[in-house]
Amino acid sequence: MLRSLAYRLLPPQCVVCELHAGAPSTSICTHCETDFFAPGIDRCERCAIRLPVEQPGARMCGRCLTTVPNFDATTTLADYVSPVDGMVMAMKFTARLDLADLFGRLLARRLSVLPSAASDAIVIPVPLAFERVRQRGFNQSSHIARAFAVAAGRRIVVDQLLRVRHTPPQLSLALKERRRNVRGAFSVEGKLDGQNVLVVDDVMTTGSTLDEAARALKKAGAVHVHNLIVARTP
Ligand SMILES: [Zn+2]
Ligand SMILES: [Zn+2]
């Protein structure tokens, strides 16, 4: 209550440096946006992992070349390192939904400079397991996706990609186990024939969850699946 009152009376402070005021309608200053969310880093066009500097001109990482994922492209705002990791954790664990709004707006701005993104693509957030939503009270990916859809003028669809199976936390598992862990975790309600889809999530670690989501979307007829994520684990 106090915070929302202060927010209305004072220009919002930058969430990262707490020094400069954010530009109107954002809560990050231009310095921090340039320092921590700058585009232009060479990344794998499929999974958004940073490409090694010794391979100039490469478009895909070795892993995606060996095992082609079900999704076609990934765009990330940043790597999952400080201060972005702290922002993501604050959003998830202290319900800082203003950060979800910020991430959604930054993703919209990033996508507007990507020529490859289909202009007719619908926006689908990665659903959380029901148990997780009940614990946390919200799905951060839905909030990011909603802010993104508003800023980018896109249609959001929240009731077609469903989490049908609760999966144990992925953190402690090796890559192979992660893949097995998420197998069959999603289903799609109805058809997506000929649809291009933008899938929104907060963090991509190995990509197993997003790969499984893309598999379900394509099985339902989706043509092109492009992930939009806040942060990529390096
Ligand atoms: Zn700042
Ligand atoms: Zn890759």
Side-chain angles (χ1 to χ4, degrees):
M1 163 85 181
L2 264 182
R3 182 151 83 194
S4 67
L5 190 65
Y7 194 84
R8 258 176 275 156
L9 295 174
L10 305 165
Q13 257 184 345
C14 171
V15 289
V16 182
C17 65
E18 298 185 338
L19 286 176
H20 309 97
S25 86
T26 70
S27 40
I28 189 165
C29 73
T30 48
H31 308 272
C32 290
E33 192 180 330
T34 315
D35 285 352
F36 303 114
F37 295 98
I41 293 163
D42 276 341
R43 294 180 182 277
C44 171
E45 58 184 22
R46 284 267 176 171
C47 75
I49 198 96
R50 267 179 199 254
L51 291 169
V53 278
E54 61 271 19
Q55 284 173 26
R59 295 169 62 200
M60 278 210 253
C61 72
R63 221 182 90 199
C64 290
L65 284 170
T66 323
T67 313
V68 183
N70 287 299
F71 46 76
D72 301 278
T74 301
T75 299
T76 186
L77 286 178
D79 280 326
Y80 192 60
V81 293
S82 177
V84 180
D85 56 352
M87 294 169 78
V88 169
M89 281 191 271
M91 167 183 70
K92 271 156 91 160
F93 302 115
T94 65
R96 285 282 307 267
L97 296 179
D98 58 315
L99 293 175
D101 288 344
L102 172 66
F103 294 142
R105 289 198 304 270
L106 290 175
L107 280 170
R109 211 177 313 158
R110 182 68 60 86
L111 199 69
S112 68
V113 296
L114 285 179
S116 59
S119 57
D120 62 343
I122 53 169
V123 180
I124 296 186
V126 171
L128 277 182
F130 177 69
E131 293 90 331
R132 195 69 57 79
V133 178
R134 204 172 42 187
Q135 279 165 5
R136 194 171 291 165
F138 61 95
N139 174 3
Q140 67 279 359
S141 299
S142 298
H143 284 272
I144 300 166
R146 226 167 263 136
F148 165 78
V150 170
R154 307 242 178 182
R155 188 161 67 89
I156 182 168
V157 176
V158 290
D159 50 2
Q160 270 196 279
L161 181 65
L162 307 173
R163 194 105 177 192
V164 288
R165 199 162 58 74
H166 180 55
T167 48
Q170 297 268 71
L171 288 173
S172 56
L173 302 176
L175 178 61
K176 231 178 171 172
E177 291 172 312
R178 280 173 183 246
R179 288 222 181 94
R180 208 175 310 132
N181 189 30
V182 294
R183 257 290 141 119
F186 298 99
S187 78
V188 175
E189 194 82 358
K191 284 275 154 211
L192 288 168
D193 287 332
Q195 274 290 355
N196 295 310
V197 182
L198 293 166
V199 174
V200 178
D201 206 0
D202 53 354
V203 180
M204 181 176 189
T205 306
T206 61
S208 310
T209 303
L210 285 161
D211 190 47
E212 190 60 21
R215 204 170 69 86
L217 292 166
K218 288 202 165 164
K219 215 173 123 199
V223 181
H224 191 267
V225 176
H226 185 146
N227 302 320
L228 295 177
I229 56 169
V230 172
R232 178 73 164 100
T233 304

